[in-house]
Amino acid sequence: MPKYIFNKETLTYEEYTCSGKLKFLRAALLFAASAGAAFLYLWLYTSVLGYDLPKTAFLKKANARLNTRLELLNMELDSDAEYLASFQSRDNDIYRSVFGMNEIPAEVRNAGFGGVDRYAYLDAIDRTGLLRQTEIKIDVLTKKAWLQSNSFDEIEVVTRKAGDMAVCIPSVPPILPDKSQYRISSSFGYRSDPFLGTRKRHTGMDFACHIGNQVYATADGVVEAVRTDTYGYGKYVIIDHGFGYKTRYAHLSKINVEKGMTVTRGSLIALSGNSGRSSGPHLHYEVMYKGNYVNPMNFMDLGMSVGEYAQVTEKAAGANSPS
């Protein structure tokens, strides 16, 4: 609709026309005023009143929900790590130990992820570090679980051979348990050295007996060594029983086996003597488990009857005799 203005000179109403420049100026001013009002509104809304813009508020709520879920996931991962640690402890201290298997070293179980930063891609999106922490926990748990699973697979294979293991544990005395034929002259542990008089660890058990007393293998195994140590064990035999167990029979007068021979529990392997560094006729007997000397008394019953022991030696003699 056109606009009119009163012309004082002609005393008439004339149609008002606005120049293009003026129209542009008015539009620019209107835009600037609107922008200024909008900016003022945003400034008052966000800076003065402390509110977030709708989109910002939505993103913050979504981010808070994700952080909460990540925190809950981290708590679950920590709980899972505790369960896995208990499995690892039982694995090393019970399962692998019982079956004579070497422990998995802690440095292997807890090995990290070295080399290139595999989580660098998170730097731009993970300002709090929570996502990186979660990712690391998942990777570590995955690796440990994989390692533990392999360990259980190995144990499963060994358990299938449990019957074989039973005959490989040195569980009988190395000589006939007739107390009229021997006496325990030295036990396992620290004692006064009979030659030097100093306190020294005795790594085995001594059976004082006459020279020529029969010596038997205390478990199934393979003869690992037949040697003579003039200034130490004298004539001695080492048998590897597998599953981490070995036994040594020392200060012998005669040896009836050779390296590489397979023997069974109760096999006659030697005769007692007084060879090497010995203060008198006796049999020195050692039990080694995974490279460590252990007390032989924990693996035998000296109270077993002579008849029971004879059954063991007779069975071994029958198994070793040519068919």
Side-chain angles (χ1 to χ4, degrees), residues 158-171:
V158 174
T159 56
R160 293 174 183 172
K161 302 178 181 178
D164 297 334
M165 177 184 174
V167 297
C168 292
I169 297 176
S171 57

Side-chain angles (χ1 to χ4, degrees), residues 25-41:
L25 182 60
R26 283 182 177 180
L29 289 174
L30 180 61
F31 176 79
S34 300
F39 178 78
L40 179 62
Y41 171 78

